[in-house]
Amino acid sequence: MTESSSDAGTTTSVLSRILLDAANRDRLPIIFLALVVLAFFLPSLVTPGVLIWPHSGLGSDISYRHWPDLTGYARNWNAGRAPVWDSLVAMGRPLAGDPTVLFLYPFDIVFAWLPPALAFNTLDTLHVLLAGLFTFLFLRMGYNTSRPAALVGAFTFAFAPKFISHLAGGHVGLVWGVTWAPAVLLGLKLAFDGWLLGAALGGLALALQMPTHLQMPYYTAVVASAYWVWHIIPPLRSAARGERDEWQRVCWLVAAYAMWLAAFVVLAAAVLLPLLELLPYNSRGNFSLADANLYALPPFMLITMLVPSNFQFPEWTMFMGLLPLVLGGIGWLASRERPWWFFALLTVGALIFAFGTSTPFFALTNALIPGFKMLRVPTRLWFFGGLGLAVLAGFGADIVGN
């Protein structure tokens, strides 16, 4: 056996051991999570030809956009062809390089086997389950919370009203994409704690976001990079003060970030390369601040953080439930350790950003962070604010439980 094959075998063995250990240790709560998700979506899975549909009367993006796209991919696959051009839109459009049409998303293959309505409902069910599972594992493996506390975080994120309302509105690219965000953070956290392969798995999760909706992997990359900066600042400051042992920690964190980026670039190359080729022709390069401000949250809607609104517009759905707010507040008051501050800042920052040009923060972030001004609808960052609040709720539940 060669040295490289031995290393690969060792890596696979370590990964298998970690996953099996997690499955054995947390088997019952994971099964409980899966059963709750299945029960929630069961009517849509057993009723033939029925799509999940919003009661708002606003309709669904599935009917005019995702249904023709994904069924078109399936027809090509079943005919033995690779779909690369869509002749049904205007005078035609390339599919490669369009990061909003779910082109090359691996789970699209379900449409080659199942009727379209059932395929959509099955993938909705799967992604809600994965969102909860990744959040659960992030809290359990990343921060060693109790099982009930990790479940609180999992349910808070996976069943967040914003998550479900966008799902009902047919915004499957957004929802299927943001599902992988906690997996990206989990991979990085495992790498920070000493398992470098975790960074590669985090890169894989980010690469899986790329074909869904560009806004989600972009926001995820920004949040994950901030998460890395948050971890590297303390040892970097200590090293600068002359504590030489801290340089080893700094080097490890730099290696983890480099591994994460390299894995993402390699695994997402099939989407990234065509996207970079088409980017010079992108009309959003001339976006103004007003363009990026589309559907910003009106300030008077802040009250919906505490009281849900009958105005059923997914982009303005902010309510997360009172329990996560209470648990997050209790935990922050009781602990105030470093991890709390990051997720608290993420939650508050996403909320302020959602108001768009109503606050100076929106213009500041658009000026400082490259690419931000090319993304519309600032309330979509609240997906990540919701994830931050879900993690805080898990932390709070862990303190209350103890």
Side-chain angles (χ1 to χ4, degrees):
M1 180 180 292
T2 65
E3 183 179 351
S4 60
S5 62
S6 176
D7 290 343
T10 302
T11 299
T12 303
S13 175
V14 170
L15 176 60
S16 300
R17 189 163 60 249
I18 289 175
L19 293 177
L20 286 174
D21 179 61
N24 290 329
R25 184 181 59 171
D26 297 320
R27 180 173 60 251
L28 290 179
I30 290 174
I31 291 173
F32 176 70
L33 173 65
L35 289 175
V36 171
V37 173
L38 181 61
F40 183 81
F41 285 97
L42 189 60
S44 68
L45 297 174
V46 299
T47 307
V50 172
L51 278 172
I52 296 172
W53 201 262
H55 291 291
S56 63
L58 297 175
S60 170
D61 284 8
I62 288 177
S63 58
Y64 75 92
R65 183 176 185 182
H66 297 302
W67 185 295
D69 283 346
L70 293 171
T71 55
Y73 302 161
R75 283 194 301 272
N76 277 278
W77 295 327
N78 289 332
R81 299 188 300 267
V84 294
W85 182 264
D86 183 1
S87 60
L88 300 178
V89 175
M91 297 181 68
R93 60 171 176 168
L95 294 171
D98 188 337
T100 63
V101 294
L102 292 162
F103 180 66
L104 294 182
Y105 188 53
F107 293 93
D108 290 350
I109 194 64
V110 171
F111 287 85
W113 305 325
L114 297 177
L118 180 58
F120 276 112
N121 296 342
T122 299
L123 289 182
D124 286 347
T125 305
L126 175 63
H127 284 84
V128 170
L129 173 59
L130 289 175
L133 177 62
F134 294 144
T135 307
F136 175 87
L137 293 176
F138 182 55
L139 285 162
R140 283 289 287 154
M141 300 175 68
Y143 292 98
N144 199 32
T145 65
S146 67
R147 295 179 182 88
L151 277 176
V152 167
F155 284 121
T156 299
F157 181 58
F159 285 98
K162 185 167 187 66
F163 202 95
I164 299 300
S165 64
H166 275 280
L167 197 76
H171 307 159
V172 294
L174 291 173
V175 176
W176 296 356
V178 77
T179 289
W180 300 95
V184 174
L185 295 181
L186 171 62
L188 283 175
K189 185 62 168 66
L190 293 176
F192 298 163
D193 290 344
W195 188 49
L196 197 58
L197 183 60
L201 294 178
L204 170 61
L206 185 61
L208 285 169
Q209 287 186 306
M210 276 302 296
T212 58
H213 191 291
L214 184 61
Q215 204 161 5
M216 295 300 102
Y218 185 83
Y219 281 161
T220 301
V222 171
V223 171
S225 296
Y227 189 58
W228 175 76
V229 170
W230 186 264
H231 279 80
I232 201 171
I233 285 176
L236 195 59
R237 291 175 62 185
S238 299
R241 289 196 299 263
E243 299 180 28
R244 295 184 178 181
D245 291 345
E246 290 297 303
W247 282 113
Q248 185 176 1
R249 174 66 176 164
V250 170
C251 291
W252 178 266
L253 291 173
V254 170
Y257 190 75
M259 171 73 80
W260 174 66
L261 279 181
F264 163 67
V265 170
V266 170
L267 296 171
V271 180
L272 277 175
L273 294 178
L275 174 62
L276 292 174
E277 185 176 349
L278 293 176
L279 208 54
Y281 307 100
N282 175 31
S283 61
R284 294 194 178 196
N286 297 319
F287 260 18
S288 66
L289 201 62
D291 293 322
N293 192 55
L294 180 70
Y295 296 141
L297 186 72
F300 72 87
M301 294 286 288
L302 179 62
I303 189 64
T304 61
M305 281 290 296
L306 301 176
V307 181
S309 169
N310 287 329
F311 187 64
Q312 299 177 19
F313 182 43
E315 305 292 6
W316 290 353
T317 299
M318 307 296 287
F319 186 67
M320 290 290 294
L322 293 178
L323 183 61
L325 290 172
V326 171
L327 287 174
I330 290 174
W332 182 77
L333 290 172
S335 176
R336 301 193 188 184
E337 293 180 356
R338 244 187 106 72
W340 288 86
W341 282 105
F342 176 82
F343 293 105
L345 289 172
L346 173 60
T347 302
V348 173
L351 178 60
I352 297 173
F353 185 84
F355 290 117
T357 53
S358 295
T359 75
F361 183 65
F362 183 72
L364 182 64
T365 52
N366 276 272
L368 294 179
I369 304 178
F372 249 54
K373 68 177 182 180
M374 298 172 65
L375 303 174
R376 301 182 300 178
V377 195
T379 51
R380 290 179 180 171
L381 190 61
W382 183 242
F383 279 115
F384 297 85
L387 175 58
L389 184 57
V391 173
L392 289 174
F395 288 165
D398 193 49
I399 287 179
V400 171
N402 289 332

